[in-house]
Amino acid sequence: MTTTTTTEHRANTATPVRPTAGAHLAVRPLPTGQARITGGFWALRQDRNGRDAIRSGYDQLEAAGNFRNLRIAAGDEEGEAVGPIFMDSDVAKWLEAVAWEYGRAPAEDLLALQREVTDLYARAQTEDGYLDSVQQVRGKGARYTDLKWSHELYCAGHLYQAAVAQHRATGDTALLDVATKNADHLVATFGDGPGRTVDVDGHPVVEMGLVELYRETGTRAYLDLAHWFVDARGHGIIERAGGEPTYFSDRVPVREATTVEGHAVRAVYLAAGAVDVAIETGDTELLTASERQFADMMATKAFITGGLGARWDYEAFGDPYELPTDRGYAETCAAIGGIQWAWRLLLATGKPVYADAIERLLYNAFLPGVSLGGTEYFYVNPLQHRDGAHEDENRSPAHGRRGWFDCACCPPNIMRTFASLDGYLATTTDEGLQVHQYATADLGPVRVETGYPHDGRVVVTVTEDGPLTLGLRIPSWSDTTTVTGAGGDADPAPGTLHVLERTWTAGDTVELVFDTTPHRYVADTRIDAARGQVAIERGPLVYAVEQADQQGFTVDDLTVDPSAQIAEERRDDLLDGVVTLRVSGSAPAQHEQAAWPYQRFGEPGGTERAADATSVDDAAGPGSAAPRLQAGSPVIATAVPYYAWANRGAAPMRVWLPLAR
């Protein structure tokens, strides 16, 4: 198959979601070329992602065998496919990252990589449009025989997203040709009607991909198939095929569900695709259901970081308020899917609550999944890491951040999110602009400058003369916010969109100062793992106490004073520059192990009972000796932003801090 390239150097942009003109929306993404992060916190991470991570990602995919699988399917090499069944999806996510990065910072080497891998995809594709290299090699031509596990449509969905990104960022049609040929094959294969297959993929994402492909090409059949896939779930298809319906988000029809359940990434990808369908079709019932599910997720199934997914078993959400600290899963991909879902709900409704959720997820659930350097990753993001934790399973944080994984879904997902982050900052309407995420950036008619998230001061400069309705999100965490400047003085309420409507002169400025005072938070009493503990937030950031910053005590032994003042210190020399927090507490100078770690409630401990304690070697078991409750000495604990932990090794860490008795 011969591919064509029409690459052009377009203005910087990233528009992962671009609804059609007739879509049912409250706000729209900024037009192509109007959003660009130009400095500050996120620019540093984007630069490292583009310079180092994306380019090294090519080598990782080569070493892991992803490209070789495609070469075997294309007939270039012989052998057996390696890796998980969904290996092609990692290539597609990486290609999407390459496309957005090329749009952000054009470079000939990126263009060469894009063309090389796109051509490999094209040569691996069959004449009728089918494409899944692992299945083509292992399955010896068999297709869709076990769709609940095979990920064939999952790989297709990521292919479509990559193809759309490539076309929008570069003008290149080569991967779009591959994608539309495959989508035409799916339209002819799945759905109701004679000769069609009634089945759904065990891992949603094809829904998002099909809708975006419809938006790019205008082919209505792609939207209709996405709508069918969304509505086909919850009617026993997967259960009849031997699958457990809760795990696959197939127990309840999407429009009837009241919450999210099962595999966290699957669930949020499906939800995001459902909103895409609702936006394009005007399906208000589907949109209302999605809002209901998102609200319940944030109320009962999200960690304080915004992390999603409580259980290592099945990478699942778990039950309401089941949010363990040390065994919390909070997969990085789930955070990314949560951001994608919240962004679509923001477009559909314009409600600031979704922009607040995106902020929490970005800083505290997505960002912890990657090192400050940009090339090492966490698959899971627990809120506690114990002293002496064992390095067992490949995904365990006890290994420290890793350059790649056997199941490598997270690294290329992170790459494409960084590269497309510009597109999530602001929206537009016929009347004006709404700024939802604060970063130093050019956003069409305004320029934003800020030291956010460490500094709560934001300056917005209008760059064009004329009337403009300017909306500025007031974060829900900012108790008091001052707005001064050409737009007038105000003290807007937390969790709202502050609107300034007037005729502007280029150079007019508005200054916002958010209240970043640190606060302690307690959890709902039903969150058992966090009872009797507090977590600390400053501005949009959740904080953690990490062993690297402590002296004379172990993080596991720390208890904190709930009433002492929290001191702040700006540290430009630490972790790329952070504000550290100092918290008063107590901890024993040395941890001692008792024969039995429990005692009767209200019974005194400490040195007066030490004489009764039996050594561990002599312990006869429960009741043989009272626990030795050591008197803690006063200490000052230093906390850093949670996203920055484990950049100095995988040392003990905790977000939830026990209160001193």
Side-chain angles (χ1 to χ4, degrees), residues 149-160:
W149 289 118
S150 67
H151 290 71
E152 287 159 279
L153 305 189
Y154 172 77
C155 291
H158 281 303
L159 168 64
Y160 303 163

Side-chain angles (χ1 to χ4, degrees), residues 393-635:
E393 208 264 6
N394 180 256
R395 295 163 290 175
S396 172
H399 291 281
R401 299 179 185 276
R402 314 202 75 172
W404 211 247
F405 298 96
D406 296 339
C407 172
C409 54
C410 295
N413 216 359
I414 290 169
M415 294 174 198
R416 67 173 181 152
T417 303
F418 272 131
S420 62
L421 192 59
D422 311 68
Y424 291 98
L425 300 183
T427 58
T428 186
T429 60
D430 291 340
E431 296 77 27
L433 176 80
Q434 304 81 43
V435 181
H436 301 289
Q437 305 302 327
Y438 293 104
T440 297
D442 291 331
L443 301 173
V446 306
R447 182 174 66 252
V448 179
E449 296 175 282
T450 182
Y452 209 87
H454 303 302
D455 187 338
R457 179 174 177 269
V458 178
V459 177
V460 180
T461 303
V462 178
T463 58
E464 301 173 5
D465 295 338
L468 175 70
T469 300
L470 178 61
L472 303 167
R473 179 180 65 92
I474 308 303
S476 57
W477 48 260
S478 181
D479 291 347
T480 60
T481 299
T482 60
V483 181
T484 58
D489 297 350
D491 186 12
T496 62
L497 188 71
H498 182 60
V499 177
L500 301 168
E501 184 176 0
R502 55 163 289 169
T503 298
W504 304 81
T505 300
D508 285 348
T509 62
V510 178
E511 181 181 85
L512 302 96
V513 179
F514 299 123
D515 179 7
T516 59
T517 302
H519 292 285
R520 298 173 179 87
Y521 287 79
V522 296
D524 188 297
T525 55
R526 288 166 286 188
I527 302 176
D528 300 273
R531 284 183 184 172
Q533 301 178 75
V534 293
I536 301 173
E537 292 186 13
R538 180 184 182 274
L541 301 177
V542 174
Y543 272 68
V545 173
E546 187 179 13
Q547 192 63 52
D549 301 301
Q550 320 313 322
Q551 294 183 352
F553 68 94
T554 301
V555 165
D556 289 359
D557 294 329
L558 175 68
T559 61
V560 296
D561 184 341
S563 60
Q565 183 177 0
I566 299 174
E568 306 174 47
E569 182 183 4
R570 176 76 197 194
R571 289 284 305 277
D572 291 330
D573 61 328
L574 182 67
L575 300 169
D576 280 339
V578 295
V579 174
T580 62
L581 304 179
R582 295 192 301 280
V583 185
S584 297
S586 63
Q590 182 177 358
H591 178 83
E592 296 185 30
Q593 182 173 315
W596 181 240
Y598 309 99
Q599 73 173 54
R600 294 172 185 167
F601 178 75
E603 189 167 298
T607 56
E608 69 272 19
R609 294 186 57 87
D612 298 330
T614 305
S615 71
V616 174
D617 292 339
D618 298 332
S624 63
R628 188 177 304 203
L629 298 182
Q630 304 165 79
S633 301
V635 297

Side-chain angles (χ1 to χ4, degrees), residues 51-401:
R51 184 189 66 228
D52 302 323
I54 291 176
R55 286 168 167 86
S56 67
Y58 176 91
D59 298 328
Q60 295 282 13
L61 290 165
E62 182 64 75
N66 300 67
F67 294 145
R68 184 169 184 270
N69 290 342
L70 285 162
R71 288 194 289 266
I72 295 171
D76 298 343
E77 295 184 18
E78 295 182 354
E80 295 299 321
V82 299
I85 191 72
F86 45 82
M87 291 283 273
D88 286 1
S89 68
D90 297 332
V91 178
K93 282 181 281 189
W94 175 81
L95 268 178
E96 183 182 348
V98 170
W100 296 133
E101 180 63 19
Y102 182 83
R104 196 187 75 86
E108 289 303 313
D109 67 318
L110 284 178
L111 195 58
L113 293 177
Q114 171 189 295
R115 289 174 171 171
E116 174 192 331
V117 179
T118 295
D119 184 63
L120 183 55
Y121 256 121
R123 287 185 288 107
Q125 188 171 34
T126 65
E127 285 300 317
D128 67 351
Y130 181 84
L131 178 57
D132 187 290
S133 69
V134 178
Q135 185 66 16
Q136 285 168 246
V137 176
R138 287 184 189 157
K140 311 300 182 185
R143 302 174 181 181
Y144 312 124
T145 57
D146 187 18
L147 200 53
K148 65 182 182 296
W149 289 118
S150 67
H151 290 71
E152 287 159 279
L153 305 189
Y154 172 77
C155 291
H158 281 303
L159 168 64
Y160 303 163
Q161 291 174 321
V164 167
Q166 191 175 111
H167 189 238
R168 288 177 185 167
T170 72
D172 196 329
T173 62
L175 196 60
L176 193 65
D177 292 341
V178 174
T180 54
K181 187 175 180 179
N182 181 260
D184 291 341
H185 161 73
L186 294 191
V187 167
T189 303
F190 291 94
D192 294 321
R196 284 185 166 82
T197 300
V198 177
D199 205 352
V200 293
D201 197 288
H203 200 312
V205 89
V206 72
E207 300 82 2
M208 277 193 284
L210 281 166
V211 175
E212 213 60 47
L213 200 59
Y214 155 71
R215 291 165 173 161
E216 197 70 6
T217 65
T219 303
R220 175 75 191 202
Y222 302 158
L223 174 61
D224 292 341
L225 182 57
H227 205 164
W228 184 87
F229 279 136
V230 168
D231 279 336
R233 299 191 94 88
H235 297 285
I237 292 175
I238 289 179
E239 189 170 19
R240 287 192 293 273
E244 199 287 308
T246 300
Y247 173 83
F248 293 106
S249 296
D250 194 45
R251 187 178 64 86
V252 182
V254 174
R255 63 185 66 243
E256 297 176 16
T258 59
T259 188
V260 286
E261 62 183 25
H263 188 279
V265 181
R266 285 170 163 84
V268 293
Y269 278 3
L270 175 63
V275 179
D276 271 333
V277 168
I279 286 171
E280 294 296 344
T281 63
D283 192 332
T284 56
E285 180 186 42
L286 195 57
L287 178 60
T288 299
S290 191
E291 284 205 85
R292 179 176 66 239
Q293 293 155 20
F294 190 91
D296 187 80
M297 177 184 75
M298 297 305 288
T300 70
K301 296 185 176 182
F303 291 94
I304 193 170
T305 58
L308 304 173
R311 298 179 180 175
W312 277 69
D313 285 345
Y314 307 115
E315 300 183 320
F317 272 108
D319 298 323
Y321 305 103
E322 181 190 344
L323 295 164
T325 56
D326 50 355
R327 292 297 293 173
Y329 201 69
E331 183 180 338
T332 303
C333 282
I336 293 169
I339 292 166
Q340 293 172 346
W341 183 12
W343 176 246
R344 287 158 173 79
L345 286 171
L346 177 61
L347 295 177
T349 69
K351 296 177 181 177
V353 65
Y354 299 119
D356 275 345
I358 290 170
E359 179 177 78
R360 182 169 295 275
L361 285 157
L362 271 174
Y363 285 111
N364 305 296
F366 159 70
L367 196 55
V370 60
S371 66
L372 295 178
T375 57
E376 295 180 306
Y377 308 93
F378 274 153
Y379 193 112
V380 300
N381 297 280
L383 276 65
Q384 182 177 356
H385 184 65
R386 294 182 181 277
D387 189 20
H390 176 60
E391 302 172 3
D392 48 13
E393 208 264 6
N394 180 256
R395 295 163 290 175
S396 172
H399 291 281
R401 299 179 185 276

